[in-house]
Amino acid sequence: MTPKTQPAPPERIRTGRHTIEISRPDKVLFPGDGITKADLARYYRTVAQRMLPHLRGRPIMLERHPDGTDGPVFMQKNVPDHFPNWIHRAELPKEDGTVTYLICDDTATLLYLADQACTTPHRFLSKADLPEHPDRLVFDLDPSGDDFTVVQETAGWLHELLEELELPSLLMTTGSRGLHVLVPLDRRAAFDDVRAFAADVATALTGRHPDRITTEVRKKARRGRLYLDIQRNAYAQTTVTPYAVRARPGAPIAAPISWDDLRDPDLNARRWTLADADRLLEDNPWSPPPHPRSLQAAANRLRRSVPV
């Protein structure tokens, strides 16, 4: 008989006041790439300083793959009872009660999530202290096919329109199919107003390029055009966190990039992977961060200058 292989002993990582135990560190989470739970934890430790400012104070939803990315996926909102007491939480309302969300405020929490096979934390666009008022607006550029050129074109057109409205914007690969364009907000506007503004911007942009972009939710109605998605701009909706790993072959990263990167002919949604962590951190394309803006002035400019 072939003897059973003994599991590797836990790997312990000290960070701050906590020692995080990575159980079964040799557990393969990405079967096609041989990427283990320990690899995932080491990556998140490497990027923690850059990633945590985009997580602190925000409720998150956990995307967990305890049996690897080819097994069942669990999208988890409520914090399980067995999670340590030192992990921060926020109880927020939902339609028929409340949800106790996890708040990832430190490296120890990020590593604990890796031990729970959380490949991808998905964050709120608002913070727990003011959950109805987002500090981010997001446009999701979702192509109908594999042609990334239309994603790059649309991102450029959207950037130009936001510049006309005097709104700074940030660009990020999603690690999935397209790009995200984010606008930092001052939290004065509620989600309903932010979403209405995003819809007006999307309508204006599709009016300029109707053969390339659409806001049609139904796939059949898109007719091969890029879908300019603004649906995530709502209470309790989440988007992928900057620097998060995606549960796809190669472990691609949702990576912040600069607007100059948009001209790179080799750019695609999965340009950066877990294996590129050191190179990914060589520059910080989102530094210094743009000053958050009010939407009121931008909405007035949109009404005056752009037909919607």
Side-chain angles (χ1 to χ4, degrees):
M1 294 178 61
T2 303
K4 291 184 178 179
T5 303
Q6 294 298 316
E11 182 173 317
R12 293 176 174 84
I13 304 176
R14 180 72 182 177
T15 175
R17 294 179 296 170
H18 303 285
T19 297
I20 307 302
E21 186 173 282
I22 307 299
S23 62
R24 301 184 65 194
D26 58 348
K27 168 69 177 177
V28 175
L29 295 183
F30 291 77
D33 306 283
I35 295 171
T36 65
K37 191 196 288 188
D39 294 326
L40 182 69
R42 292 180 194 123
Y43 167 77
Y44 277 129
R45 187 183 194 186
T46 298
V47 302
Q49 185 175 4
R50 190 73 63 80
M51 185 177 183
L52 285 170
H54 305 292
L55 282 170
R56 286 193 181 103
R58 297 178 189 278
I60 63 174
M61 179 175 65
L62 313 180
E63 180 182 339
R64 297 179 57 229
H65 297 264
D67 295 317
T69 57
D70 59 348
V73 57
F74 298 90
M75 306 301 288
Q76 193 164 3
K77 293 183 179 180
N78 268 302
V79 180
D81 292 338
H82 68 270
F83 274 35
N85 290 334
W86 52 262
I87 289 180
H88 297 169
R89 297 156 166 82
E91 185 176 359
L92 297 178
K94 65 175 182 177
E95 186 173 349
D96 56 350
T98 62
V99 176
T100 301
Y101 289 95
L102 185 144
I103 308 290
C104 185
D105 284 335
D106 52 33
T107 302
T109 302
L110 196 55
L111 294 179
Y112 186 86
L113 296 182
D115 178 60
Q116 299 297 305
C118 173
T119 58
T120 317
H122 299 264
R123 65 175 186 163
F124 269 40
L125 292 171
S126 59
K127 294 187 176 182
D129 64 336
L130 203 59
E132 296 278 3
H133 290 250
D135 67 346
R136 291 289 185 272
L137 180 159
V138 63
F139 297 94
D140 182 5
L141 281 54
D142 183 13
S144 295
D146 296 328
D147 180 12
F148 204 73
T149 303
V150 67
V151 182
Q152 293 168 284
E153 289 177 342
T154 303
W157 295 330
L158 181 56
H159 185 221
E160 291 173 359
L161 177 51
L162 293 172
E163 289 283 296
E164 291 174 22
L165 302 177
E166 298 183 19
L167 287 176
S169 54
L170 302 167
L171 186 64
M172 183 177 81
T173 66
T174 61
S176 179
R177 288 172 46 82
L179 296 173
H180 281 178
V181 175
L182 300 104
V183 178
L185 305 177
D186 62 4
R187 305 210 294 174
R188 292 182 182 179
F191 266 113
D192 286 348
D193 295 328
V194 171
R195 185 167 177 159
F197 174 80
D200 287 344
V201 171
T203 299
L205 197 64
T206 55
R208 294 181 180 185
H209 309 279
D211 57 331
R212 301 287 276 170
I213 314 170
T214 182
T215 56
E216 286 285 354
V217 176
R218 295 170 300 146
K219 290 186 177 181
K220 287 185 178 180
R222 296 176 193 171
R223 300 195 303 275
R225 294 170 292 176
L226 179 142
Y227 174 42
L228 186 54
D229 185 3
I230 56 96
Q231 302 301 318
R232 294 292 175 182
N233 296 288
Y235 173 75
Q237 291 291 313
T238 61
T239 63
V240 62
T241 304
Y243 299 100
V245 179
R246 306 307 302 270
R248 287 176 168 264
I253 304 300
I257 59 176
S258 72
W259 284 106
D260 289 340
D261 291 327
L262 195 60
R263 296 193 292 268
D264 183 351
D266 295 325
L267 181 66
N268 61 68
R270 297 182 288 277
R271 167 68 179 80
W272 295 97
T273 70
L274 184 146
D276 299 320
D278 290 340
R279 291 196 303 117
L280 180 60
L281 297 178
E282 287 176 357
D283 298 303
N284 186 353
W286 288 5
S287 181
H291 184 70
R293 301 296 175 88
S294 166
L295 280 187
Q296 187 59 57
N300 292 337
R301 292 187 189 96
L302 186 64
R303 283 193 292 268
R304 288 196 304 265
S305 63
V306 181
V308 296

